[in-house]
Amino acid sequence: MHELTKAPPPRRPDLHIATEGEFVGWRTWIRDSFEAHVGPFWHRIEADGSVRSAFRVEKKHLNGSGNVHGGCYMAFADYSLFAIATHVLDSRAVTTNFACEFLDAAREGELIECTGEVTRAGGSLIFLRGKMTSGDRVLLTFSGTIKRMKRKALPQPNA
């Protein structure tokens, strides 16, 4: 467990809550080593039930021009898809489709946030859309589809 987080109830042992720093009370998942490497990315459930994701831009997030790398935007937007889906997602899932429009650049030190909505949650597919901002500037709009994964039975020993 990370020294800045605590584990939530046992239903989601991979979900951790920040206990100090700028994002105290915000949540993150620790099971994804890529997101842990490029993040940290955070999310919280607002009073109205909506979900907000955020991260603070560090030097490691920048491209050669000093702007946030497009791949970082996309990784954060993908993280945000799952955060936005938190109310309708109760099992493992994968992203099956992702589309985005790059609209503006962000620089080191900026707070980047994502908000969005589930547009449809079916039996196996969840459709979402979102918007990434820094202050009043829209940086990226995106949409995606998440597929719920069925739990596969473990093979029986000596079967």
Side-chain angles (χ1 to χ4, degrees):
M1 182 170 10
H2 192 276
E3 66 272 3
L4 300 178
T5 65
K6 66 178 179 180
R11 185 177 89 81
R12 290 295 309 262
D14 61 322
L15 181 68
H16 283 246
I17 302 169
T19 57
E20 57 186 70
E22 177 180 12
F23 293 100
V24 69
W26 290 62
R27 303 164 181 215
T28 192
W29 292 291
I30 61 167
R31 75 178 176 276
D32 191 310
S33 58
F34 179 78
E35 286 175 357
H37 177 71
V38 299
F41 300 142
W42 301 94
H43 66 280
R44 70 178 180 197
I45 300 170
E46 304 285 23
D48 65 0
S50 65
V51 176
R52 178 174 302 277
S53 305
F55 78 101
R56 179 70 63 184
V57 178
E58 299 175 26
K59 186 175 181 87
K60 70 178 181 176
H61 300 126
L62 305 179
N63 62 21
S65 297
N67 298 314
V68 174
H69 192 285
C72 180
Y73 273 0
M74 293 170 71
F76 178 54
D78 184 63
Y79 172 94
S80 296
L81 286 175
F82 286 82
I84 294 163
T86 197
H87 298 304
V88 296
L89 190 58
D90 56 1
S91 63
R92 290 185 51 229
V94 296
T95 304
T96 61
N97 186 48
F98 180 85
C100 66
E101 297 78 36
F102 297 95
L103 303 173
D104 202 351
R107 312 275 297 173
E108 188 172 357
E110 289 188 60
L111 177 67
I112 296 183
E113 298 180 288
C114 274
T115 56
E117 65 180 334
V118 173
T119 57
R120 181 178 171 96
S124 65
L125 296 176
I126 303 168
F127 301 88
L128 307 103
R129 64 179 165 207
K131 176 172 61 171
M132 186 182 301
T133 59
S134 179
D136 292 336
R137 295 180 5 257
V138 178
L139 306 174
L140 181 97
T141 56
F142 60 95
S143 61
T145 307
I146 297 173
K147 180 171 178 48
R148 300 173 208 257
M149 302 299 294
K150 294 180 182 173
R151 295 198 186 271
K152 295 182 180 179
L154 296 173
Q156 297 299 316
N158 301 321

PDB file of all heavy atoms in Angstrom, residues 68-99:
ATOM      1  N   VAL A  68       1.674  19.174 -22.187  1.00  0.00           N
ATOM      2  CA  VAL A  68       1.308  17.819 -21.795  1.00  0.00           C
ATOM      3  C   VAL A  68       1.255  16.946 -23.049  1.00  0.00           C
ATOM      4  O   VAL A  68       0.661  17.317 -24.065  1.00  0.00           O
ATOM      5  CB  VAL A  68      -0.051  17.797 -21.053  1.00  0.00           C
ATOM      6  CG1 VAL A  68      -0.494  16.361 -20.769  1.00  0.00           C
ATOM      7  CG2 VAL A  68       0.046  18.578 -19.755  1.00  0.00           C
ATOM      8  N   HIS A  69       1.898  15.801 -22.972  1.00  0.00           N
ATOM      9  CA  HIS A  69       1.958  14.857 -24.088  1.00  0.00           C
ATOM     10  C   HIS A  69       0.551  14.335 -24.401  1.00  0.00           C
ATOM     11  O   HIS A  69      -0.235  14.061 -23.494  1.00  0.00           O
ATOM     12  CB  HIS A  69       2.876  13.692 -23.704  1.00  0.00           C
ATOM     13  CG  HIS A  69       3.257  12.815 -24.825  1.00  0.00           C
ATOM     14  ND1 HIS A  69       2.395  11.904 -25.373  1.00  0.00           N
ATOM     15  CD2 HIS A  69       4.419  12.730 -25.523  1.00  0.00           C
ATOM     16  CE1 HIS A  69       3.010  11.265 -26.351  1.00  0.00           C
ATOM     17  NE2 HIS A  69       4.238  11.752 -26.466  1.00  0.00           N
ATOM     18  N   GLY A  70       0.233  14.212 -25.677  1.00  0.00           N
ATOM     19  CA  GLY A  70      -1.074  13.710 -26.089  1.00  0.00           C
ATOM     20  C   GLY A  70      -1.372  12.331 -25.529  1.00  0.00           C
ATOM     21  O   GLY A  70      -2.509  12.014 -25.185  1.00  0.00           O
ATOM     22  N   GLY A  71      -0.351  11.496 -25.414  1.00  0.00           N
ATOM     23  CA  GLY A  71      -0.542  10.163 -24.836  1.00  0.00           C
ATOM     24  C   GLY A  71      -0.935  10.229 -23.377  1.00  0.00           C
ATOM     25  O   GLY A  71      -1.706   9.406 -22.882  1.00  0.00           O
ATOM     26  N   CYS A  72      -0.438  11.243 -22.658  1.00  0.00           N
ATOM     27  CA  CYS A  72      -0.830  11.441 -21.264  1.00  0.00           C
ATOM     28  C   CYS A  72      -2.297  11.852 -21.188  1.00  0.00           C
ATOM     29  O   CYS A  72      -3.046  11.343 -20.360  1.00  0.00           O
ATOM     30  CB  CYS A  72       0.068  12.490 -20.609  1.00  0.00           C
ATOM     31  SG  CYS A  72      -0.329  12.797 -18.878  1.00  0.00           S
ATOM     32  N   TYR A  73      -2.700  12.783 -22.081  1.00  0.00           N
ATOM     33  CA  TYR A  73      -4.122  13.150 -22.152  1.00  0.00           C
ATOM     34  C   TYR A  73      -4.986  11.899 -22.348  1.00  0.00           C
ATOM     35  O   TYR A  73      -6.005  11.717 -21.687  1.00  0.00           O
ATOM     36  CB  TYR A  73      -4.376  14.072 -23.349  1.00  0.00           C
ATOM     37  CG  TYR A  73      -4.186  15.554 -23.161  1.00  0.00           C
ATOM     38  CD1 TYR A  73      -3.793  16.133 -21.970  1.00  0.00           C
ATOM     39  CD2 TYR A  73      -4.432  16.406 -24.232  1.00  0.00           C
ATOM     40  CE1 TYR A  73      -3.637  17.503 -21.844  1.00  0.00           C
ATOM     41  CE2 TYR A  73      -4.285  17.782 -24.125  1.00  0.00           C
ATOM     42  CZ  TYR A  73      -3.892  18.324 -22.927  1.00  0.00           C
ATOM     43  OH  TYR A  73      -3.753  19.675 -22.809  1.00  0.00           O
ATOM     44  N   MET A  74      -4.584  11.062 -23.299  1.00  0.00           N
ATOM     45  CA  MET A  74      -5.394   9.884 -23.625  1.00  0.00           C
ATOM     46  C   MET A  74      -5.410   8.876 -22.479  1.00  0.00           C
ATOM     47  O   MET A  74      -6.450   8.280 -22.186  1.00  0.00           O
ATOM     48  CB  MET A  74      -4.895   9.261 -24.922  1.00  0.00           C
ATOM     49  CG  MET A  74      -5.129  10.174 -26.123  1.00  0.00           C
ATOM     50  SD  MET A  74      -4.324   9.616 -27.624  1.00  0.00           S
ATOM     51  CE  MET A  74      -5.324   8.199 -28.018  1.00  0.00           C
ATOM     52  N   ALA A  75      -4.276   8.673 -21.820  1.00  0.00           N
ATOM     53  CA  ALA A  75      -4.240   7.752 -20.678  1.00  0.00           C
ATOM     54  C   ALA A  75      -5.137   8.259 -19.553  1.00  0.00           C
ATOM     55  O   ALA A  75      -5.876   7.487 -18.930  1.00  0.00           O
ATOM     56  CB  ALA A  75      -2.801   7.584 -20.183  1.00  0.00           C
ATOM     57  N   PHE A  76      -5.102   9.571 -19.294  1.00  0.00           N
ATOM     58  CA  PHE A  76      -5.949  10.147 -18.252  1.00  0.00           C
ATOM     59  C   PHE A  76      -7.424  10.065 -18.640  1.00  0.00           C
ATOM     60  O   PHE A  76      -8.284   9.760 -17.800  1.00  0.00           O
ATOM     61  CB  PHE A  76      -5.533  11.588 -17.960  1.00  0.00           C
ATOM     62  CG  PHE A  76      -6.389  12.268 -16.928  1.00  0.00           C
ATOM     63  CD1 PHE A  76      -6.591  11.710 -15.675  1.00  0.00           C
ATOM     64  CD2 PHE A  76      -6.990  13.485 -17.209  1.00  0.00           C
ATOM     65  CE1 PHE A  76      -7.385  12.344 -14.724  1.00  0.00           C
ATOM     66  CE2 PHE A  76      -7.773  14.127 -16.266  1.00  0.00           C
ATOM     67  CZ  PHE A  76      -7.973  13.561 -15.016  1.00  0.00           C
ATOM     68  N   ALA A  77      -7.740  10.305 -19.902  1.00  0.00           N
ATOM     69  CA  ALA A  77      -9.133  10.196 -20.358  1.00  0.00           C
ATOM     70  C   ALA A  77      -9.624   8.756 -20.214  1.00  0.00           C
ATOM     71  O   ALA A  77     -10.764   8.520 -19.803  1.00  0.00           O
ATOM     72  CB  ALA A  77      -9.267  10.684 -21.790  1.00  0.00           C
ATOM     73  N   ASP A  78      -8.773   7.776 -20.524  1.00  0.00           N
ATOM     74  CA  ASP A  78      -9.152   6.368 -20.374  1.00  0.00           C
ATOM     75  C   ASP A  78      -9.394   6.040 -18.903  1.00  0.00           C
ATOM     76  O   ASP A  78     -10.374   5.381 -18.551  1.00  0.00           O
ATOM     77  CB  ASP A  78      -8.078   5.468 -20.967  1.00  0.00           C
ATOM     78  CG  ASP A  78      -8.469   4.009 -20.932  1.00  0.00           C
ATOM     79  OD1 ASP A  78      -9.472   3.645 -21.585  1.00  0.00           O
ATOM     80  OD2 ASP A  78      -7.783   3.226 -20.250  1.00  0.00           O
ATOM     81  N   TYR A  79      -8.513   6.505 -18.019  1.00  0.00           N
ATOM     82  CA  TYR A  79      -8.719   6.349 -16.578  1.00  0.00           C
ATOM     83  C   TYR A  79     -10.082   6.939 -16.199  1.00  0.00           C
ATOM     84  O   TYR A  79     -10.862   6.339 -15.453  1.00  0.00           O
ATOM     85  CB  TYR A  79      -7.593   7.051 -15.814  1.00  0.00           C
ATOM     86  CG  TYR A  79      -7.800   7.126 -14.320  1.00  0.00           C
ATOM     87  CD1 TYR A  79      -7.262   6.168 -13.474  1.00  0.00           C
ATOM     88  CD2 TYR A  79      -8.534   8.165 -13.746  1.00  0.00           C
ATOM     89  CE1 TYR A  79      -7.441   6.230 -12.104  1.00  0.00           C
ATOM     90  CE2 TYR A  79      -8.727   8.240 -12.378  1.00  0.00           C
ATOM     91  CZ  TYR A  79      -8.176   7.264 -11.555  1.00  0.00           C
ATOM     92  OH  TYR A  79      -8.383   7.332 -10.192  1.00  0.00           O
ATOM     93  N   SER A  80     -10.362   8.124 -16.735  1.00  0.00           N
ATOM     94  CA  SER A  80     -11.605   8.832 -16.404  1.00  0.00           C
ATOM     95  C   SER A  80     -12.839   8.083 -16.881  1.00  0.00           C
ATOM     96  O   SER A  80     -13.893   8.145 -16.237  1.00  0.00           O
ATOM     97  CB  SER A  80     -11.575  10.250 -16.985  1.00  0.00           C
ATOM     98  OG  SER A  80     -10.533  10.991 -16.382  1.00  0.00           O
ATOM     99  N   LEU A  81     -12.738   7.362 -18.019  1.00  0.00           N
ATOM    100  CA  LEU A  81     -13.873   6.548 -18.471  1.00  0.00           C
ATOM    101  C   LEU A  81     -14.323   5.611 -17.356  1.00  0.00           C
ATOM    102  O   LEU A  81     -15.512   5.487 -17.068  1.00  0.00           O
ATOM    103  CB  LEU A  81     -13.497   5.716 -19.700  1.00  0.00           C
ATOM    104  CG  LEU A  81     -13.365   6.412 -21.036  1.00  0.00           C
ATOM    105  CD1 LEU A  81     -12.867   5.415 -22.093  1.00  0.00           C
ATOM    106  CD2 LEU A  81     -14.666   7.051 -21.473  1.00  0.00           C
ATOM    107  N   PHE A  82     -13.362   4.938 -16.733  1.00  0.00           N
ATOM    108  CA  PHE A  82     -13.696   3.967 -15.686  1.00  0.00           C
ATOM    109  C   PHE A  82     -14.190   4.661 -14.421  1.00  0.00           C
ATOM    110  O   PHE A  82     -15.079   4.160 -13.741  1.00  0.00           O
ATOM    111  CB  PHE A  82     -12.494   3.056 -15.413  1.00  0.00           C
ATOM    112  CG  PHE A  82     -12.287   2.062 -16.511  1.00  0.00           C
ATOM    113  CD1 PHE A  82     -11.616   2.423 -17.670  1.00  0.00           C
ATOM    114  CD2 PHE A  82     -12.798   0.782 -16.404  1.00  0.00           C
ATOM    115  CE1 PHE A  82     -11.446   1.526 -18.708  1.00  0.00           C
ATOM    116  CE2 PHE A  82     -12.633  -0.133 -17.442  1.00  0.00           C
ATOM    117  CZ  PHE A  82     -11.960   0.238 -18.585  1.00  0.00           C
ATOM    118  N   ALA A  83     -13.632   5.827 -14.106  1.00  0.00           N
ATOM    119  CA  ALA A  83     -14.116   6.583 -12.951  1.00  0.00           C
ATOM    120  C   ALA A  83     -15.558   7.034 -13.188  1.00  0.00           C
ATOM    121  O   ALA A  83     -16.416   6.886 -12.312  1.00  0.00           O
ATOM    122  CB  ALA A  83     -13.199   7.785 -12.697  1.00  0.00           C
ATOM    123  N   ILE A  84     -15.830   7.565 -14.372  1.00  0.00           N
ATOM    124  CA  ILE A  84     -17.185   8.033 -14.700  1.00  0.00           C
ATOM    125  C   ILE A  84     -18.188   6.881 -14.637  1.00  0.00           C
ATOM    126  O   ILE A  84     -19.336   7.062 -14.233  1.00  0.00           O
ATOM    127  CB  ILE A  84     -17.204   8.703 -16.091  1.00  0.00           C
ATOM    128  CG1 ILE A  84     -16.372   9.997 -16.063  1.00  0.00           C
ATOM    129  CG2 ILE A  84     -18.620   8.983 -16.561  1.00  0.00           C
ATOM    130  CD1 ILE A  84     -15.994  10.522 -17.442  1.00  0.00           C
ATOM    131  N   ALA A  85     -17.745   5.691 -14.995  1.00  0.00           N
ATOM    132  CA  ALA A  85     -18.617   4.506 -15.016  1.00  0.00           C
ATOM    133  C   ALA A  85     -18.769   3.860 -13.643  1.00  0.00           C
ATOM    134  O   ALA A  85     -19.459   2.848 -13.515  1.00  0.00           O
ATOM    135  CB  ALA A  85     -18.086   3.482 -16.012  1.00  0.00           C
ATOM    136  N   THR A  86     -18.178   4.437 -12.615  1.00  0.00           N
ATOM    137  CA  THR A  86     -18.122   3.784 -11.309  1.00  0.00           C
ATOM    138  C   THR A  86     -19.491   3.358 -10.767  1.00  0.00           C
ATOM    139  O   THR A  86     -19.599   2.337 -10.095  1.00  0.00           O
ATOM    140  CB  THR A  86     -17.369   4.677 -10.293  1.00  0.00           C
ATOM    141  OG1 THR A  86     -16.976   3.889  -9.184  1.00  0.00           O
ATOM    142  CG2 THR A  86     -18.201   5.847  -9.832  1.00  0.00           C
ATOM    143  N   HIS A  87     -20.551   4.099 -11.061  1.00  0.00           N
ATOM    144  CA  HIS A  87     -21.882   3.765 -10.532  1.00  0.00           C
ATOM    145  C   HIS A  87     -22.525   2.582 -11.258  1.00  0.00           C
ATOM    146  O   HIS A  87     -23.459   1.980 -10.723  1.00  0.00           O
ATOM    147  CB  HIS A  87     -22.816   4.971 -10.624  1.00  0.00           C
ATOM    148  CG  HIS A  87     -22.363   6.149  -9.812  1.00  0.00           C
ATOM    149  ND1 HIS A  87     -22.117   6.099  -8.461  1.00  0.00           N
ATOM    150  CD2 HIS A  87     -22.106   7.432 -10.180  1.00  0.00           C
ATOM    151  CE1 HIS A  87     -21.730   7.285  -8.024  1.00  0.00           C
ATOM    152  NE2 HIS A  87     -21.715   8.109  -9.054  1.00  0.00           N
ATOM    153  N   VAL A  88     -22.059   2.264 -12.463  1.00  0.00           N
ATOM    154  CA  VAL A  88     -22.679   1.179 -13.233  1.00  0.00           C
ATOM    155  C   VAL A  88     -21.719   0.025 -13.499  1.00  0.00           C
ATOM    156  O   VAL A  88     -22.093  -0.958 -14.116  1.00  0.00           O
ATOM    157  CB  VAL A  88     -23.236   1.692 -14.587  1.00  0.00           C
ATOM    158  CG1 VAL A  88     -24.357   2.690 -14.351  1.00  0.00           C
ATOM    159  CG2 VAL A  88     -22.152   2.279 -15.461  1.00  0.00           C
ATOM    160  N   LEU A  89     -20.510   0.122 -13.008  1.00  0.00           N
ATOM    161  CA  LEU A  89     -19.497  -0.898 -13.269  1.00  0.00           C
ATOM    162  C   LEU A  89     -19.202  -1.640 -11.982  1.00  0.00           C
ATOM    163  O   LEU A  89     -18.694  -1.065 -11.028  1.00  0.00           O
ATOM    164  CB  LEU A  89     -18.228  -0.224 -13.807  1.00  0.00           C
ATOM    165  CG  LEU A  89     -17.144  -1.123 -14.344  1.00  0.00           C
ATOM    166  CD1 LEU A  89     -17.666  -1.992 -15.485  1.00  0.00           C
ATOM    167  CD2 LEU A  89     -15.974  -0.293 -14.825  1.00  0.00           C
ATOM    168  N   ASP A  90     -19.536  -2.925 -11.960  1.00  0.00           N
ATOM    169  CA  ASP A  90     -19.325  -3.703 -10.743  1.00  0.00           C
ATOM    170  C   ASP A  90     -18.463  -4.931 -10.974  1.00  0.00           C
ATOM    171  O   ASP A  90     -18.436  -5.849 -10.165  1.00  0.00           O
ATOM    172  CB  ASP A  90     -20.666  -4.108 -10.135  1.00  0.00           C
ATOM    173  CG  ASP A  90     -21.530  -4.881 -11.122  1.00  0.00           C
ATOM    174  OD1 ASP A  90     -21.087  -5.112 -12.259  1.00  0.00           O
ATOM    175  OD2 ASP A  90     -22.648  -5.246 -10.746  1.00  0.00           O
ATOM    176  N   SER A  91     -17.748  -4.964 -12.091  1.00  0.00           N
ATOM    177  CA  SER A  91     -16.862  -6.080 -12.375  1.00  0.00           C
ATOM    178  C   SER A  91     -15.727  -5.593 -13.269  1.00  0.00           C
ATOM    179  O   SER A  91     -15.691  -4.428 -13.653  1.00  0.00           O
ATOM    180  CB  SER A  91     -17.640  -7.209 -13.073  1.00  0.00           C
ATOM    181  OG  SER A  91     -18.126  -6.757 -14.322  1.00  0.00           O
ATOM    182  N   ARG A  92     -14.840  -6.492 -13.600  1.00  0.00           N
ATOM    183  CA  ARG A  92     -13.736  -6.138 -14.489  1.00  0.00           C
ATOM    184  C   ARG A  92     -14.286  -5.692 -15.837  1.00  0.00           C
ATOM    185  O   ARG A  92     -15.336  -6.135 -16.271  1.00  0.00           O
ATOM    186  CB  ARG A  92     -12.823  -7.341 -14.692  1.00  0.00           C
ATOM    187  CG  ARG A  92     -12.040  -7.702 -13.460  1.00  0.00           C
ATOM    188  CD  ARG A  92     -11.051  -8.822 -13.711  1.00  0.00           C
ATOM    189  NE  ARG A  92     -10.227  -8.521 -14.882  1.00  0.00           N
ATOM    190  CZ  ARG A  92     -10.013  -9.377 -15.886  1.00  0.00           C
ATOM    191  NH1 ARG A  92     -10.547 -10.577 -15.853  1.00  0.00           N
ATOM    192  NH2 ARG A  92      -9.260  -9.045 -16.907  1.00  0.00           N
ATOM    193  N   ALA A  93     -13.525  -4.823 -16.505  1.00  0.00           N
ATOM    194  CA  ALA A  93     -13.948  -4.324 -17.808  1.00  0.00           C
ATOM    195  C   ALA A  93     -12.719  -3.866 -18.582  1.00  0.00           C
ATOM    196  O   ALA A  93     -11.646  -3.659 -18.010  1.00  0.00           O
ATOM    197  CB  ALA A  93     -14.929  -3.159 -17.638  1.00  0.00           C
ATOM    198  N   VAL A  94     -12.892  -3.708 -19.882  1.00  0.00           N
ATOM    199  CA  VAL A  94     -11.824  -3.212 -20.749  1.00  0.00           C
ATOM    200  C   VAL A  94     -12.391  -2.153 -21.688  1.00  0.00           C
ATOM    201  O   VAL A  94     -13.574  -2.152 -21.999  1.00  0.00           O
ATOM    202  CB  VAL A  94     -11.180  -4.345 -21.588  1.00  0.00           C
ATOM    203  CG1 VAL A  94     -10.482  -5.351 -20.697  1.00  0.00           C
ATOM    204  CG2 VAL A  94     -12.207  -5.036 -22.463  1.00  0.00           C
ATOM    205  N   THR A  95     -11.529  -1.256 -22.127  1.00  0.00           N
ATOM    206  CA  THR A  95     -11.922  -0.257 -23.117  1.00  0.00           C
ATOM    207  C   THR A  95     -11.911  -0.923 -24.484  1.00  0.00           C
ATOM    208  O   THR A  95     -10.919  -1.547 -24.861  1.00  0.00           O
ATOM    209  CB  THR A  95     -10.932   0.923 -23.120  1.00  0.00           C
ATOM    210  OG1 THR A  95     -10.860   1.462 -21.798  1.00  0.00           O
ATOM    211  CG2 THR A  95     -11.368   2.005 -24.098  1.00  0.00           C
ATOM    212  N   THR A  96     -13.010  -0.818 -25.214  1.00  0.00           N
ATOM    213  CA  THR A  96     -13.067  -1.402 -26.556  1.00  0.00           C
ATOM    214  C   THR A  96     -13.046  -0.347 -27.653  1.00  0.00           C
ATOM    215  O   THR A  96     -12.760  -0.658 -28.807  1.00  0.00           O
ATOM    216  CB  THR A  96     -14.334  -2.261 -26.738  1.00  0.00           C
ATOM    217  OG1 THR A  96     -15.484  -1.433 -26.554  1.00  0.00           O
ATOM    218  CG2 THR A  96     -14.350  -3.415 -25.753  1.00  0.00           C
ATOM    219  N   ASN A  97     -13.358   0.893 -27.306  1.00  0.00           N
ATOM    220  CA  ASN A  97     -13.355   1.971 -28.289  1.00  0.00           C
ATOM    221  C   ASN A  97     -13.032   3.269 -27.567  1.00  0.00           C
ATOM    222  O   ASN A  97     -13.474   3.489 -26.443  1.00  0.00           O
ATOM    223  CB  ASN A  97     -14.727   2.074 -28.965  1.00  0.00           C
ATOM    224  CG  ASN A  97     -14.721   3.089 -30.084  1.00  0.00           C
ATOM    225  OD1 ASN A  97     -13.840   3.097 -30.930  1.00  0.00           O
ATOM    226  ND2 ASN A  97     -15.708   3.966 -30.077  1.00  0.00           N
ATOM    227  N   PHE A  98     -12.246   4.124 -28.233  1.00  0.00           N
ATOM    228  CA  PHE A  98     -11.885   5.411 -27.653  1.00  0.00           C
ATOM    229  C   PHE A  98     -11.662   6.394 -28.785  1.00  0.00           C
ATOM    230  O   PHE A  98     -10.981   6.081 -29.756  1.00  0.00           O
ATOM    231  CB  PHE A  98     -10.606   5.280 -26.813  1.00  0.00           C
ATOM    232  CG  PHE A  98     -10.174   6.567 -26.177  1.00  0.00           C
ATOM    233  CD1 PHE A  98     -10.717   6.967 -24.965  1.00  0.00           C
ATOM    234  CD2 PHE A  98      -9.251   7.381 -26.789  1.00  0.00           C
ATOM    235  CE1 PHE A  98     -10.334   8.163 -24.382  1.00  0.00           C
ATOM    236  CE2 PHE A  98      -8.855   8.578 -26.210  1.00  0.00           C
ATOM    237  CZ  PHE A  98      -9.398   8.965 -24.999  1.00  0.00           C
ATOM    238  N   ALA A  99     -12.261   7.574 -28.683  1.00  0.00           N
ATOM    239  CA  ALA A  99     -12.067   8.633 -29.681  1.00  0.00           C
ATOM    240  C   ALA A  99     -11.886   9.949 -28.933  1.00  0.00           C
ATOM    241  O   ALA A  99     -12.482  10.160 -27.874  1.00  0.00           O
ATOM    242  CB  ALA A  99     -13.272   8.719 -30.613  1.00  0.00           C
TER     243      ALA A  99
END
